[in-house]
Amino acid sequence: MAKALIVDDEPDIRELLDITLSRMNIDSDCAADLSEARNLLEKNQYQVCLTDMKLPDGNGIDLVRLIQKKHPDMPVAVLTAHGNMDTAIQSMKAGAFDFVSKPIELERLRSLVNTALKLQSDGSDDNSPHKVDIAGESEAIIHLRNKIKKLSRSQAPVYISGESGSGKELTARAIHEQGPLASGPFIAVNCGAIPRELMESEFFGHKKGSFTGAHKDHIGLFESANGGTLFLDEVADLPLDMQVKLLRAIQEKSVRSIGSQKETPVDARILSATHKNLSVEVSENRFRKDLFYRINVIELPVPTLRDRADDIKLLAQRFLVKMAKKFDETPVRLTKDALQTLNSYRFPGNIRELENILERAYTLCENDEIHPSDLHLEGTPNQAQPNTQEAELEGETLDEHLEDIERGIIVKTLEENRWNRTAAAKKLGVSFRSLRYRLKKLGLDREE
């Protein structure tokens, strides 16, 4: 039977919490002040603690800090006055698992306690096969993994900072999958990729007939993440009017879909990230200070690849094995000179750039070996500058536009050679492996 410690100076609140937990088959000890709570902690073991913020001889944050020091595996939830987000944020910065606003909503309380108790079981299994693997043995990545493990035991919002391509979404997934909500959904959304006119509908949903084109009910991202984690990538790209609505949804833990007359409770952990400097965005009035304060309860910096250069060899080997498995081939070998070339490169695009470089080298190399010349990293990349007056993408991204051009050239060459791939590869001046890779990538891998 699980056991909880309840700390509150109001007898009615203690009784309400005690009855609620007993109906959940949880035994409880109650304390009216900080001193009594300390005595009980010395004599008993508890799986969860619920404490009021204001106590006769101190405050709940003092108890949070004490438990963090002496019982770091015990989750603590703080009871705060309704609307007092400053206090709630302060408690989570001190290490509280989560908070509950008064008057207490029992359904919300039961959900919180059940989530906290999961930390004693499946949330602590580091060897579970579904856990995200953040590869690397550098000091920077070991520190990141340790921080992820600690943060996964809390429901506090985390702001993940770092350069593009450094692995911010992977970090967010690791926090989710090592925590008590791992069995729930992980919903990742790139805020900068949603058209402005569709943002409210995408985040909060809409009812059938609420606007032209709303042919059926649509569940928003917040509701989709209920019971799990919502990861807001590139959150700095949200327009100011949407930031206001996002802040309200996070603070109230509820959303109202377009066309609905009622609020829908949503219990999802919020993780966010951007490659921009949010402090600068706030100072220049492009990002709301109150939203920044709310999502940046804890900041987790993700190191650049330059800061973990010792991991380049390990990451490169993993990427090459992954590519070989994708095409059911033997992995190619990275020569010593090629590895040295990678080690001396600055990688402005970080891990994503490393993978792209190796993907290109994999398709171009001969004899199953990647040499420095296959990496195309010597000096400044020799790339033609596009004529911006002639480059018309017509709604496509640059990658999509280039893929269309590549697809057209390959199809034309294959048709000229009656779909003989060996002859087409020779005509195109690429290896057979390179052509086969490109065909699969472009959706042209078929028997003719």
Side-chain angles (χ1 to χ4, degrees):
M1 190 178 198
K3 196 168 186 179
L5 174 61
I6 298 170
V7 187
D8 199 298
D9 61 336
E10 297 183 46
D12 290 346
I13 297 294
R14 292 199 302 271
E15 183 179 5
L16 172 65
L17 296 176
D18 187 21
I19 292 173
T20 301
L21 294 185
S22 67
R23 289 174 177 172
M24 298 172 65
N25 199 32
I26 299 172
D27 191 19
S28 301
D29 286 339
C30 294
D33 54 37
L34 196 57
S35 177
E36 189 177 353
R38 286 171 176 157
N39 291 333
L40 287 170
L41 284 168
E42 289 178 0
K43 298 174 183 178
N44 304 286
Q45 289 187 333
Y46 301 99
Q47 281 69 54
V48 64
C49 174
L50 303 174
T51 180
D52 192 16
M53 179 56 69
K54 294 183 178 181
L55 298 170
D57 55 349
N59 61 55
I61 292 180
D62 294 331
L63 184 59
V64 170
R65 292 187 177 122
L66 174 68
I67 292 175
Q68 277 283 300
K69 184 177 180 180
K70 294 189 175 182
H71 310 277
D73 292 335
M74 185 197 309
V76 187
V78 175
L79 310 179
T80 66
H82 178 71
N84 194 342
M85 290 306 304
D86 289 349
T87 301
I89 290 171
Q90 188 181 358
S91 68
M92 287 191 288
K93 283 183 179 291
F97 167 76
D98 208 341
F99 70 94
V100 181
S101 296
K102 293 182 177 180
I104 298 171
E105 296 181 11
L106 296 185
E107 184 178 350
R108 159 78 177 140
L109 176 68
R110 286 190 287 266
S111 174
L112 181 150
V113 171
N114 282 327
T115 301
L117 292 177
K118 288 181 181 179
L119 287 170
Q120 309 298 321
S121 53
D122 56 352
S124 60
D125 183 9
D126 295 330
N127 297 316
S128 177
H130 79 286
K131 296 289 189 289
V132 169
D133 179 21
I134 297 182
E137 296 301 330
S138 63
E139 184 177 342
I141 215 66
I142 290 173
H143 177 71
L144 178 65
R145 282 200 294 260
N146 289 338
K147 289 286 289 183
I148 288 171
K149 185 175 181 179
K150 182 177 181 180
L151 292 176
S152 67
R153 298 184 58 81
S154 165
Q155 293 304 291
V158 178
Y159 165 55
I160 304 170
S161 59
E163 294 182 4
S164 293
S166 57
K168 297 188 291 296
E169 182 173 341
L170 188 69
T171 299
R173 287 185 180 275
I175 293 172
H176 169 76
E177 293 188 0
Q178 290 185 33
L181 302 177
S183 59
F186 177 87
I187 305 297
V189 53
N190 186 325
C191 298
I194 304 176
R196 184 165 184 161
E197 63 274 14
L198 297 179
M199 276 190 175
E200 187 171 359
S201 173
E202 285 300 302
F203 276 108
F204 309 129
H206 63 251
K207 292 295 183 182
K208 179 181 178 180
S210 57
F211 55 86
T212 303
H215 302 301
K216 60 180 180 179
D217 288 355
H218 172 68
I219 296 177
L221 294 165
F222 269 85
E223 284 190 74
S224 298
N226 194 31
T229 300
L230 178 61
F231 174 53
L232 304 172
D233 198 8
E234 299 302 345
V235 69
D237 291 341
L238 288 173
L240 288 171
D241 59 334
M242 192 62 207
Q243 292 177 28
V244 176
K245 296 171 183 177
L246 179 64
L247 174 63
R248 184 185 180 282
I250 293 174
Q251 291 189 164
E252 299 299 325
K253 292 184 179 289
S254 64
V255 297
R256 178 182 294 178
S257 59
I258 299 173
S260 175
Q261 299 300 314
K262 64 178 183 177
E263 297 273 336
T264 301
V266 174
D267 187 12
R269 186 177 190 182
I270 304 297
L271 305 178
S272 59
T274 181
H275 71 282
K276 297 180 180 178
N277 187 322
L278 267 190
S279 297
V280 173
E281 297 297 301
V282 170
S283 66
E284 297 186 0
N285 297 319
R286 291 192 294 265
F287 198 83
R288 292 183 61 93
K289 186 176 182 179
D290 47 6
L291 178 58
F292 173 66
Y293 186 51
R294 187 66 186 88
I295 65 174
N296 190 27
V297 173
I298 300 171
E299 181 174 354
L300 178 61
V302 178
T304 65
L305 189 52
R306 298 183 296 280
D307 294 329
R308 46 179 299 208
D310 292 345
D311 293 330
I312 289 176
K313 181 179 180 180
L314 173 62
L315 291 169
Q317 289 173 339
R318 288 199 173 202
F319 285 140
L320 292 174
V321 169
K322 175 184 172 183
M323 293 170 199
K325 285 183 177 179
K326 183 177 180 180
F327 297 101
D328 196 23
E329 294 181 343
T330 303
V332 302
R333 189 177 74 86
L334 194 67
T335 65
K336 185 177 180 180
D337 289 342
L339 178 60
Q340 187 175 354
T341 300
L342 289 175
N343 284 332
S344 62
Y345 184 60
R346 291 287 296 168
F347 287 104
N350 293 291
I351 299 173
R352 186 184 298 132
E353 184 181 12
L354 172 63
E355 184 173 15
N356 290 339
I357 288 169
L358 292 173
E359 190 174 32
R360 179 179 61 205
Y362 176 87
T363 66
L364 297 176
C365 72
E366 301 288 349
N367 302 320
D368 293 336
E369 282 190 341
I370 294 178
H371 295 273
S373 59
D374 299 317
L375 300 172
H376 294 277
L377 296 181
E378 299 86 4
T380 303
N382 182 22
Q383 295 177 334
Q385 298 299 313
N387 184 329
T388 55
Q389 292 181 339
E390 296 179 1
E392 297 290 342
L393 299 185
E394 297 181 355
E396 294 181 309
T397 66
L398 179 59
D399 286 341
E400 291 170 340
H401 185 65
L402 294 176
E403 281 188 2
D404 286 343
I405 295 173
E406 184 179 12
R407 184 181 290 107
I409 294 172
I410 290 176
V411 169
K412 183 174 183 294
T413 306
L414 284 167
E415 289 175 345
E416 290 174 350
N417 290 274
R418 298 184 179 181
W419 287 83
N420 183 314
R421 298 185 183 191
T422 302
K426 186 176 181 180
K427 181 78 177 290
L428 291 166
V430 299
S431 66
F432 184 78
R433 178 199 285 121
S434 176
L435 179 60
R436 182 169 58 179
Y437 169 80
R438 292 167 191 269
L439 289 173
K440 190 162 188 176
K441 180 181 179 182
L442 297 169
L444 299 172
D445 189 21
R446 57 191 178 92
E447 296 295 332
E448 291 288 336

